[in-house]
Each structure stands twice: as C-alpha cells, then as structure tokens.
Amino acid sequence: MANRKMLAVLALLQVLSLHVHGVSAAGKPKHRAGTCHISGFLHGKAGKCNKKNGSDCCVEGHKYPQFRCSPPVSAKTPATLTLNSFAKGADGGGPSFCDNRFHKDSELVVALSSGWLRLDGTRRCGKMVRVHGNGRSVLAKVVDECDSVSGCDTEHNFEPPCPNNIVDGSPAVWKALGLKESIGEFKVTWSDVCRASGYLPGRSGNCEKSNDPDCCVDGKKYPQYHCSPPVTSSTGAVLTLNSFEKGKDGGGPSECDNSYHSDGEMVVALSTGWFNNMARCGHRIKVTANGNSVYAKVVDECDSVHGCDDEHNYEAPCDNNIVDASPAVWDALGLDQSIGEQDITWSDE
C-alpha cells in the first residue's frame, strides 16, 4: 500500500479548511456541489513504521480524518504530490493494490487517494494519468491506492489514512518533474489520459449511408478506445449526426431501451467511455454549440471498441469524444446537418 508522507498535517489542514469554508456554526456540513466531506475518524494505533521518505507514522490515540470521496476530476485536477517507494521492503508497505506487485523506484507509477482510484465510479487501476508540476508533465501508471479510509496497521505501514487529494508518486515521477525529494510534497495538477487500447482490422459490408457514415475499408486499422476524456462542467466533444430510426444508419435498436427513436426525438449516443457501461442511460445531458444549448436523452452507445460488422452498420469504431445526435438535436442547435460534425461542449444535467 502507498506511503502517506506528512499526511497527518495535510489532513489537519483539510479539517481546518472544511471548518472555515464548508461547515456551519452547528458543525454540520454545508452541502455544496463539488465538496468532499470527512466521513469519520480513525483512532491511531502505533506500530512498526518504516520511516523511509519521511513517513508520517500513527500516534497512539490520535484521531485521523477519513474520506470516502475525493474532489471532482477535471482536465486539471488540483492535488498534492507526495513521495512513496513501491519497492519491496520500502515504506509503501505491501504490494500494490492494482496488480499485487512491487515496483522499482525507477518506474513511473503512482497511487491515488481512494475517491480518485475507485470510489467515484471510475476504476483507474492500470490506467495512465498525466501529472503536471514545476512547469513539466509526466505520464505515470496508476498501480496503487493511497487509502483515505484505513490505516494505522501493518498493511498500511502504521501510517494514517491519506487526505482525499493525494497523488503519491514514485521517485522516478519526482525526478521526471525536476523536483527534489527532500521537499516531501508539491502542489500539482493531474488528468486522466485516454489512449487507443488497440486497433480493429477493417471489414467492408452493407453500410447504410444516409447520414454519410464512416464506412469501414477492408484491411484499414481503426483505433479502439475503452475510455473517454474526463467529464467536466463543459466537456469538449465532437457532435455527429445519426438516425436512431429502424432501417437507418444507427444499426440495431438503442442499447439503453432496446427501442428505435424517431428523427424528431432529442436523443444522443455517447462514446464508450462516457456511456460508462450504461451508467448514463436515460439521463439528460446539456449540449452547447455556437452559443445555443439543448437537452437530449442518452439512449445509446457510440461504440469506441467494436465495429465493421452488421450490428454497427459496417462503420468504424467511434472516436472517444463523440456525442452522436439525432436530427432533432442538430435542428434545435441551429446547425447545418450537411456539415456532418461540429465541435461542441456537453455536461451532465
């Protein structure tokens, strides 16, 4: 498990910040969008704590805040970079959570606070993130959790729970950012990285061309994506045109409701990463283009992994940043359907 260097101090600062900015005089949280409140307190228990990298070892009886959430993830998510060794016998404790392995200090790897790793609906194990700091940026692989709930035991090197805003980086990450390890912590930003996970060999077939789709070409390699860019309050995307009617270029019935939809309905399909295993099915999203905004219902997936078959109208997999919209959405935005695609932003309602 990941080291929590000087994290009791950071956690205390978070508590004070919540007291000043996020808690009422009666001691109850003020419910504001984007906040992440303490979920409880862990009673400290001292033990054999490896102090390499200046580990913050638990103090017997001290109360440490616990967090089951982290701040919202954006294209530039603020965080505190801390230092950790993921090597065997070092201060990271046991093997990494994601792969049950140890990692050399020369590897570009990180641990994320619990909320960012797995509690916000996104599973980041094994994924790449980009860390920005000191005027530089580095790509690192997520291999572990900086546990924001549990701690003060052998598994966690008798260190307290992490604050909810930690990117715990290996020495290689610190070196790549040009940072001195002796400073212990540094303010950074980070973002998810979405790269092609593979390539699909093209296969042509009976491709219905009513809305000028990207029909597959035999032998051409098409990138596949299991992810999409981070969702923010104004997520950049490309609007494409699709008919969800039976017999049109949308292929089979919509994945969310196994139904077809008329061209007059305000409906959309989202790239695989944004579709998120049907998590947004039935939700309304706000689509904005050229100063105009409309609301549309998510009814289908714009598949970013599969394609070039009958089910997908022999079209190539979608890019990872697509909002595939019905003619009604294009009309409501005042867009010319003949252009085929348009840069937009969208957000969850």
Side-chain angles (χ1 to χ4, degrees), residues 33-320:
T35 57
C36 173
H37 298 296
I38 295 169
S39 59
F41 290 88
L42 179 73
H43 291 274
K45 181 182 177 184
K48 188 177 180 181
C49 177
N50 185 319
K51 298 182 180 181
K52 183 181 178 182
N53 294 326
S55 301
D56 176 35
C57 301
C58 292
V59 176
E60 194 76 31
H62 187 86
K63 288 186 178 180
Y64 296 98
Q66 299 167 297
F67 294 91
R68 297 185 179 276
C69 55
S70 288
V73 174
S74 67
K76 289 186 177 180
T77 310
T80 297
L81 181 72
T82 51
L83 177 63
N84 180 57
S85 176
F86 298 82
K88 188 173 183 179
D91 58 315
S96 297
F97 172 82
C98 293
D99 55 12
N100 199 35
R101 292 178 51 228
F102 293 100
H103 296 270
K104 297 177 181 178
D105 287 347
S106 58
E107 292 185 60
L108 292 164
V109 292
V110 298
L112 298 179
S113 292
S114 296
W116 286 337
L117 181 75
R118 54 182 177 146
L119 298 179
D120 68 350
T122 303
R123 301 295 184 265
R124 290 190 171 88
C125 273
K127 294 186 177 180
M128 302 296 290
V129 296
R130 185 177 294 278
V131 183
H132 307 263
N134 197 35
R136 301 184 184 184
S137 67
V138 61
L139 285 172
K141 186 178 181 180
V142 178
V143 297
D144 206 355
E145 175 184 14
C146 197
D147 199 322
S148 305
V149 179
S150 304
C152 298
D153 55 18
T154 302
E155 183 181 356
H156 298 89
N157 189 40
F158 283 95
E159 297 176 52
C162 282
N164 62 2
N165 65 339
I166 298 298
V167 174
D168 207 22
S170 66
V173 171
W174 280 70
K175 183 178 180 180
L177 292 174
L179 297 171
K180 293 182 178 180
E181 296 178 12
S182 60
I183 64 177
E185 61 182 68
F186 193 83
K187 295 298 182 185
V188 297
T189 62
W190 71 274
S191 59
D192 288 309
V193 176
C194 181
R195 290 180 164 180
S197 57
Y199 291 87
L200 180 73
R203 185 163 70 99
S204 61
N206 185 19
C207 179
E208 210 285 330
K209 300 180 180 180
S210 59
N211 284 316
D212 195 25
D214 179 22
C215 299
C216 293
V217 176
D218 284 320
K220 183 176 178 178
K221 290 184 177 180
Y222 297 96
Q224 299 167 295
Y225 296 92
H226 286 90
C227 56
S228 289
V231 175
T232 68
S233 59
S234 184
T235 311
V238 174
L239 188 74
T240 52
L241 178 63
N242 181 58
S243 176
F244 297 81
E245 292 186 346
K246 189 173 183 178
K248 296 291 184 69
D249 58 313
S254 297
E255 188 170 347
C256 291
D257 54 12
N258 198 36
S259 299
Y260 293 98
H261 297 271
S262 75
D263 287 347
E265 291 184 64
M266 303 280 286
V267 293
V268 297
L270 298 179
S271 293
T272 295
W274 289 337
F275 190 64
N276 194 19
N277 293 318
M278 301 181 72
R280 286 193 168 88
C281 274
H283 291 196
R284 290 207 315 164
I285 64 169
K286 183 180 180 181
V287 182
T288 302
N290 294 337
N292 298 319
S293 296
V294 298
Y295 290 92
K297 183 179 179 181
V298 178
V299 297
D300 206 357
E301 174 184 12
C302 195
D303 199 323
S304 305
V305 180
H306 306 99
C308 299
D309 55 18
D310 185 63
E311 181 183 354
H312 297 88
N313 188 44
Y314 285 94
E315 295 180 52
C318 285
D319 286 335
N320 64 359

